[in-house]
Amino acid sequence: PESVPAILQSVKAKYSDGDINEIDGIKVDYPDWWFLMRASANDPVIRIIVETKTKEMTEAKVAELKALISS
């Protein structure tokens, strides 16, 4: 599996058209949704927070991001 920094770099590259903030992991803002992806300080996991305007869009974006980190 890829290392966490490599995963975060690939996510950053894929979503480079969004407004990126790297203060605490990678936060990417779009007009109608945003996400934060960061490595856990205590566990070997990546945490993802997604906020969108609809439940359906949230589910789709979570699935999209999970597919990126599990490939």
Side-chain angles (χ1 to χ4, degrees), residues 4 8 24-26 35-50 65-66 69:
V4 171
L8 294 178
D24 183 26
I26 295 177
F35 73 90
L36 171 67
M37 184 178 287
R38 62 184 292 275
S40 170
N42 302 318
D43 300 308
V45 298
I46 294 176
R47 303 207 187 278
I48 302 171
I49 300 168
V50 177
L65 291 163
K66 285 171 73 175
I69 64 173

Side-chain angles (χ1 to χ4, degrees), residues 7-66:
I7 290 169
L8 294 178
Q9 280 304 112
S10 65
V11 168
K12 181 179 166 186
K14 176 164 177 58
Y15 295 98
S16 62
D17 61 334
D19 182 19
I20 297 175
N21 178 319
E22 295 184 75
I23 291 174
D24 183 26
I26 295 177
K27 182 175 187 238
V28 183
D29 283 294
Y30 290 97
D32 57 348
W33 74 290
W34 64 268
F35 73 90
L36 171 67
M37 184 178 287
R38 62 184 292 275
S40 170
N42 302 318
D43 300 308
V45 298
I46 294 176
R47 303 207 187 278
I48 302 171
I49 300 168
V50 177
E51 186 172 302
T52 71
K53 294 184 182 274
T54 67
K55 180 181 177 184
E56 293 77 17
M57 186 177 187
T58 299
E59 290 170 352
K61 294 301 181 183
V62 168
E64 182 179 302
L65 291 163
K66 285 171 73 175

